[in-house]
Amino acid sequence: MTRVDFSPLLADDPVIAVLRADHAREYPPVIDALLAGGVRAIELTLSTAGVFAQIKSLAAEFGDAVIGLGTVTTAAQAETAIENGAKFIVSPTAELDVIRVACDAGVPVFPGGLTPTELYRCWEAGASALKLFPASVVGPRYIADISGPFPDMRIIPSGGVGLDDVEAWIAAGAPAVSIGGPLLGDAFSGGDLIALSTRAQQFRTIAGDALAQRKAVQ
C-alpha cells in the first residue's frame, strides 16, 4: 500500500480541530472563528447529523480551511467522504479497509489505535499518520516508548489533549495535535466565538513554537 504524505496538508499548522455538533448546519460560524485564530485543519465528524450533505459546500465556503472527515469506521463511509471532497480521513479505530480506500484515492488517512499492535498494523497498512486515542490515558512519554522499536511512525495524539499538554506532545515527536473539547469549549452551545478564536490562536501558537523548536534541534 502506498503511504500518502500528509505533510503538505498540515504544513506548519500542527493543530487539527475536531468538531462535533448536533447538526452540520451549526458548523460555519465555528469554522470561521477557528480560521480567524489560525487553525486551518478541520475534522468534521460522522457523529454529527448532516455531515455528508454539508461537507462539499463547507469546503467551497471556507477555501482557506483543510476539511476532513472523522469517526469514519467503514470503507463505504470513507468512499462517500472522499467523493464529497474530504481532504483527509480519520478513524477512531484500526480499520484496515478505511486505510485501503484512502490510500487508493491518494487521500491522507489517520486511523486510530492505542496499543503497539494496533499502531503497527495501521502503519504497515499504509497510514499517513496514526491517531493515538485516547491519548490522555498514556501521556506524551508513550510516543518516545513507541519510537524505540518503531522510529518511523508518525503519531498524532487525540482525546484529552489540553492547552498545557500541547508543548510536551510536540516535543515528544508528535507532528500535530488533535483537539476537541479543550479548544471548542461551549462554541456549539451559544459560547463566545471571539473567545474561541483566542483559544485557537493560543493552541496554534504553542504548537507552532514547539514544532519549530523541535525542528531546530534535530
Side-chain angles (χ1 to χ4, degrees):
M1 195 70 66
T2 301
R3 194 183 316 280
V4 181
D5 183 14
F6 71 91
S7 299
L9 183 77
L10 296 179
D12 293 320
D13 299 320
V15 176
I16 302 171
V18 182
L19 277 58
R20 289 187 176 87
D22 290 335
H23 197 280
R25 68 173 69 95
E26 301 174 43
Y27 279 152
V30 172
I31 294 175
D32 193 48
L34 290 169
L35 290 173
V39 172
R40 296 174 56 250
I42 310 292
E43 178 190 332
L44 310 182
T45 53
L46 273 179
S47 53
T48 298
V51 169
F52 280 143
Q54 296 289 326
I55 187 170
K56 187 175 292 186
S57 62
L58 289 170
E61 180 178 355
F62 298 101
D64 291 337
V66 180
I67 296 179
L69 192 64
T71 325
V72 175
T73 57
T74 70
Q77 290 172 346
E79 290 170 352
T80 302
I82 292 167
E83 288 169 359
N84 283 277
K87 299 300 183 185
F88 61 94
I89 298 295
V90 184
S91 178
T93 51
E95 303 299 334
L96 302 189
D97 285 346
V98 170
I99 298 172
R100 174 185 54 77
V101 168
C103 287
D104 287 348
V107 173
V109 58
F110 311 134
L114 184 64
T115 69
T117 298
E118 291 168 339
L119 297 173
Y120 175 76
R121 286 180 176 170
C122 289
W123 186 250
E124 285 298 293
S128 303
L130 303 160
K131 173 181 174 176
L132 181 64
F133 177 78
S136 60
V137 173
V138 291
R141 175 57 190 262
Y142 196 66
I143 290 183
D145 293 338
I146 291 293
S147 295
F150 307 121
D152 295 331
M153 280 186 182
R154 309 297 300 280
I155 299 174
I156 298 174
S158 180
V161 179
L163 188 64
D164 293 339
D165 308 313
V166 171
E167 184 176 1
W169 279 110
I170 298 291
V177 289
S178 175
I179 315 290
L183 170 58
L184 275 298
D186 59 357
F188 286 116
S189 56
D192 186 345
L193 294 182
I194 295 176
L196 172 59
S197 294
T198 299
R199 289 195 300 274
Q201 187 173 37
Q202 291 173 330
F203 273 97
R204 173 66 182 81
T205 299
I206 290 175
D209 288 350
L211 186 60
Q213 184 174 1
R214 194 183 79 212
K215 290 180 176 179
V217 300
Q218 286 179 339

